[in-house]
């Protein structure tokens, strides 16, 4: 039931999942959203113009955000076209606007940004603004990944 789900704001709005509302699940919601837990977040990112090797190096480097260095990101080029590139970027912290800041640092415009997965949990084909409840198996998976047994 949607109205009984635990919505952590960022999770339900930007990645479209809700954890069933059970008091012991609150630490799981906090753990998967907090940068200190290093739960991977996978994104598909379209950038303009077409990426160069030098820009790719910048994207995989650490960045200073709020006086602290971020962990390096994993970046894979999915496709290149004349005027843009599509990338898969995996973050291990997910700090505020980290991908957009990395792209800006590399001299790239972020044309499109979509989160595909949190840890090993693939988000599926949700449209912007849509969300779904997690199954108990998915909550268990997130518990194991976040260390919240």
């Amino acid at each position: 039931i949607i109205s009984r789900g635990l919505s952590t704001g960022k999770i339900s709005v930007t990645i479209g999942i809700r954890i069933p509302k059970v008091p012991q699940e609150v630490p799981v919601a906090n753990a998967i959203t907090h940068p200190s837990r290093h739960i991977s977040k996978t994104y598909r990112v379209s950038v303009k113009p077409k990426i160069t090797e030098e820009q790719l190096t910048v994207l995989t480097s650490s960045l200073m955000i709020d006086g602290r260095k971020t962990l390096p990101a994993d970046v894979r080029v999915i496709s290149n076209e004349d005027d843009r590139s599509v990338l898969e970027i995996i973050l291990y912290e997910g700090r505020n606007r980290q991908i957009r800041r990395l792209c800006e640092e590399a001299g790239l415009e972020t044309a499109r940004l979509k989160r595909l997965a949190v840890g090993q949990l693939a988000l599926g084909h949700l449209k912007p603004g849509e969300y779904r409840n997690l199954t108990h198996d998915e909550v268990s998976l997130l518990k194991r990944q976040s260390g919240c047994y």
Side-chain angles (χ1 to χ4, degrees):
I1 298 173
I2 292 170
S3 63
R4 294 181 61 205
L6 172 65
S7 176
T8 63
K10 202 174 202 182
I11 293 178
S12 64
V13 173
T14 64
I15 66 173
I17 59 175
R18 288 166 61 104
I19 298 172
K21 190 172 185 176
V22 180
Q24 64 267 26
E25 306 305 355
V26 173
V28 177
N30 291 336
I32 63 175
T33 58
H34 198 277
S36 68
R37 289 299 183 111
H38 308 298
I39 303 294
S40 66
K41 286 131 185 118
T42 305
Y43 298 84
R44 177 171 290 131
V45 185
S46 296
V47 295
K48 294 180 181 180
K50 182 178 173 180
I51 194 165
T52 66
E53 285 299 320
E54 294 81 21
Q55 290 169 319
L56 192 56
T57 300
V58 172
L59 292 181
T60 59
S61 302
S62 294
L63 178 71
M64 290 295 286
I65 297 179
D66 298 328
R68 292 193 345 233
K69 268 188 163 182
T70 62
L71 291 175
D74 292 334
V75 182
R76 180 174 67 94
V77 178
I78 296 172
S79 67
N80 274 318
E81 297 177 14
D82 292 337
D83 64 340
R84 73 181 185 115
S85 295
V86 178
L87 312 171
E88 178 183 83
I89 300 178
I90 302 174
L91 300 180
Y92 296 96
E93 289 181 289
R95 306 264 297 279
N96 185 31
R97 300 181 55 82
Q98 184 174 345
I99 289 178
R100 293 185 190 279
R101 291 177 184 192
L102 280 169
C103 289
E104 184 178 310
E105 185 79 16
L108 296 165
E109 174 191 342
T110 306
R112 187 164 186 206
L113 174 63
K114 181 177 182 179
R115 191 174 307 178
L116 303 176
V118 174
Q120 296 173 348
L121 176 66
L123 301 177
H125 299 287
L126 296 172
K127 295 177 183 164
E130 286 186 334
Y131 58 88
R132 67 176 179 82
N133 288 328
L134 292 177
T135 66
H136 290 289
D137 287 344
E138 290 171 327
V139 172
S140 294
L141 174 66
L142 289 174
K143 279 183 176 181
R144 284 192 306 275
Q145 290 178 328
S146 65
C148 296
Y149 309 105

